[in-house]
Structures are given as C-alpha cells and as structure tokens.
Amino acid sequence: MKQTYRILKPSAQNAETARQRFLHDVEQGLSQSPKSIPSRYFYDETGSKIFEQIMDLPEYYLTRAEYEILNNSRQQLAEMMNLQGFNLIELGAGDGRKTRVLLEYLQSAKIDFRYIPIDISPGAMATLQEEVSACCGDLEMLGVVGEYFQGLNWVEKQVGGASLVLFLGSNIGNFHPGKAKVFLRRLRQVLRPGDFVLMGFDLKKDTRRLNAAYNDKQGITAQFNLNLLNRINGELAGAFDLDNWAFYSWYNPLSGAVESSLLSQVRQTVHIGACDRNFVFDAWEAIHTEFSFKYSEAEIESMAKLAGFLVVHHFYDNQHDFVDSLWRVPA
Ligand SMILES: C[S@@+](CC[C@H](N)C(=O)[O-])C[C@H]1O[C@@H](n2cnc3c(N)ncnc32)[C@H](O)[C@@H]1O
C-alpha cells in the first residue's frame, strides 16, 4: 500500500510574511470608508473549527446540497471527464467532508489520480489529512498549505499531467464579480487544454432562506465573524472588546450578495499594537467582513465563457438550491 501524505507548510519566513500581510490588510481595511477586513482571514484554527459547525447548521443548506450533488453525480462526472492518472486539485479544501464521497468513488472505480488540496489554513489541512487517511488510506495526497495561486503554481512546476480543479462550497461567491472574473482568467492561464474545473455556485433563491442561512438561531455565524476580531487581538496585539460588537448580515437583491459585517455598538477607539495605531469607530459604524454572491445559471455561463472555459454540464441537487458546474479548457 502506498501512503503518501506531504503537507507543504509555510516556512518560518513565510509565516512572518503572512503576518505582515495580515497586518497590512487590516491596517488598510480599517483606514478606508467603509471599513473592511478580507474574509480570507476568517480561517485561523478557531475559525476553521467554527466553519465546521456552520456546515452542520439546519439553516445552512449549502453543504448538504453540494454533498447530495457529489454523491449522486460522481459516476456521471467521472464518465464525462474520462481521465486517468490525473491531479485532483482542490482549492480551499476545508475539512473535505464532501470531497470524500468523490475520492471514495474514484478509488473504488480504480481510476488513477492523486489528490492535491490547497488551503491557507494549517488547521483545516490537519483535519483534512485525518479525514482522507480514514476514508482512503492508500490514496496519494500532496497537501499544500498556502494561497490558491501559490499552490497552483507549485503544482504546475512540480507535478505534471491532466487536472481536475475543484472549487466547492461557493467559495467563488466570496469574490466580488469583477474579482471573480480576474480570478477565473488567472485560473484558466495556469491550466492546460483538456483540464477540467468543477465550480460550486449557490443559486439565487427566496431571500428568507438566504437570510436564515447566514443568521442562524444558535449564533454560530456571529461567532465566526467575531473571531476575526479575536484573531487581530491575538496575532496583531489588538484591543477589540468583543462585547462592543454585533454581527449583521442580510441579502441585498441589488448587489446579489449576502453582505456581512460587524457593527460597533458604541463610539470607541481601538488600539492595534502591531502597527501602534488607534482606529476610531462611530456608534453603529460597520466593518464589512464578507460578500456571499448568489448566481443565476445565465450569469455562471457568461462568467465561464468570459474566462475562456467551455461549460460541459450543470449538476444540481434535488431542490435546485445549488449547482456544481463542470467546465473544460478548450483545446
Ligand atoms: C467556505 S470554506 C469552504 C471549504 C470547502 N471547500 C467546502 O466546500 O466545504 C473556505 C476554505 O477556503 C480556504 N481559503 C480561504 N481563502 C483562501 C485563499 N486565499 N487561499 C487558500 N485557501 C483559502 C479557507 O481556509 C477554508 O478552508
């Protein structure tokens, strides 16, 4: 049995660069109007654990819908791609609970592939490693702890062959549409003719369901957002008092996104030690934390085309809540 797990973790130097970048992004985000912090900073070890709880929430239909899609469509997906000896690259893999059903199927169908998850969170990668080890012991896995394109460029240089890139969980929805287009064009550039992409999109739907999904009754999504301030306190010597902040999230049909923020409940000044600066927040001023864009099929197809992909097939769950869209790089 071959059991190959290689986790390429950032070096101490890279970790320091990552901290500097975090500081730079926080300083810049809190200096602009409206204030904001990029959502990629949600995923420290605590944030990744809280996200696992979010995926189990009754209101958060997204994970269950995509699990159903992968479970019901894995054979058809494999037949459509008809690949052997390929790289199954997953961007922002998280704990991989949905990917597992695909990995198990490909193994049982004796399809030859190696699994290359890329995730910025070392905590998520550790959980994923355990998960893959439990389900698919003899699978070759090369885990990359790093940014999406840092990982993709590494794969491009070190590992040859055809690829299927998974970008699940509606991660693409966290990009503003303009940035999503740039991201997809860049993705297209690092792939080769004949490569595939399976991209998860949350579809536009009744706003009450969208609002419920991001405003769960147990307050777990609120904790997930507030953890950003905890992270700044821990890593950047911030002095945020979490009792002075409230989570706010609502679907805006004009932007097409669930827009999440943290509201300052009082006028307050917060010191961040790592840059030795004070930031002033007015009462009820917001820090924008996340966009979760929702798409229609027409918008998805137009995005794929603009980035230079061919749409092969849309895989849906039974309720038509979510779509995993299969794209191919043309020859
Ligand atoms: C919303 S979770 C989705 C996880 C998984 N794909 C799923 O569908 O359940 C987003 C994941 O992407 C990772 N992530 C966020 N920004 C990233 C970036 N810029 N580069 C690499 N990974 C990133 C996070 O650490 C997290 O595990």
Side-chain angles (χ1 to χ4, degrees), residues 247-283:
F247 170 64
Y248 183 78
S249 178
W250 216 247
Y251 178 69
N252 176 355
L254 299 175
S255 68
V258 175
E259 300 177 0
S260 301
S261 52
L262 289 165
L263 303 184
S264 175
Q265 299 187 92
V266 290
R267 184 175 166 83
Q268 54 184 316
T269 301
V270 179
H271 185 71
I272 297 186
C275 56
D276 195 18
R277 277 187 62 185
N278 285 327
F279 295 90
V280 179
F281 300 90
D282 255 331

Side-chain angles (χ1 to χ4, degrees), residues 96-318:
R97 67 175 73 173
K98 288 171 295 188
T99 315
R100 182 179 168 152
V101 295
L102 186 58
L103 300 179
E104 282 171 337
Y105 173 76
L106 294 173
Q107 275 197 312
S108 71
K110 307 268 179 272
I111 294 172
D112 179 33
F113 70 104
R114 67 173 74 81
Y115 179 47
I116 310 182
I118 299 169
D119 201 293
I120 203 170
S121 162
M125 189 61 74
T127 311
L128 177 64
Q129 188 184 4
E130 279 168 26
E131 186 87 1
V132 172
S133 180
C135 77
C136 315
D138 56 351
L139 174 65
E140 185 184 357
M141 168 172 156
L142 296 170
V144 183
V145 175
E147 288 277 340
Y148 299 133
F149 283 99
Q150 197 187 7
L152 280 167
N153 290 333
W154 179 85
V155 175
E156 164 76 19
K157 278 199 208 106
Q158 306 289 330
V159 194
S163 296
L164 162 65
V165 176
L166 303 180
F167 200 32
L168 305 180
S170 188
N171 276 17
I172 191 72
N174 297 139
F175 292 76
H176 206 275
K179 288 194 175 151
K181 280 174 197 143
V182 173
F183 178 90
L184 294 175
R185 276 204 204 106
R186 206 170 153 197
L187 177 61
R188 163 73 188 79
Q189 294 308 317
V190 295
L191 298 180
R192 298 159 203 223
D195 284 349
F196 289 91
V197 171
L198 189 69
M199 186 76 63
F201 290 93
D202 193 16
L203 292 168
K204 285 184 169 147
K205 57 180 60 63
D206 188 328
T207 56
R208 285 168 294 192
R209 292 192 58 219
L210 292 172
N211 285 326
Y214 293 83
N215 284 283
D216 64 279
K217 291 203 178 108
Q218 297 172 55
I220 308 288
T221 313
Q223 272 179 39
F224 182 62
N225 278 256
L226 285 164
N227 180 57
L228 259 180
L229 304 184
N230 252 337
R231 184 173 181 188
I232 295 174
N233 287 350
E235 292 182 30
L236 304 178
F240 282 98
D241 177 348
L242 268 58
D243 288 341
N244 286 339
W245 293 87
F247 170 64
Y248 183 78
S249 178
W250 216 247
Y251 178 69
N252 176 355
L254 299 175
S255 68
V258 175
E259 300 177 0
S260 301
S261 52
L262 289 165
L263 303 184
S264 175
Q265 299 187 92
V266 290
R267 184 175 166 83
Q268 54 184 316
T269 301
V270 179
H271 185 71
I272 297 186
C275 56
D276 195 18
R277 277 187 62 185
N278 285 327
F279 295 90
V280 179
F281 300 90
D282 255 331
W284 303 110
E285 186 179 352
I287 305 176
H288 169 80
T289 53
E290 189 176 48
F291 284 116
S292 301
F293 280 90
K294 309 300 167 189
Y295 283 94
S296 67
E297 280 96 332
E299 289 167 331
I300 294 169
E301 286 176 13
S302 148
M303 272 172 89
K305 204 169 148 193
L306 269 173
F309 291 100
L310 293 172
V311 177
V312 179
H313 194 75
H314 290 318
F315 296 99
Y316 297 95
D317 61 303
N318 283 331

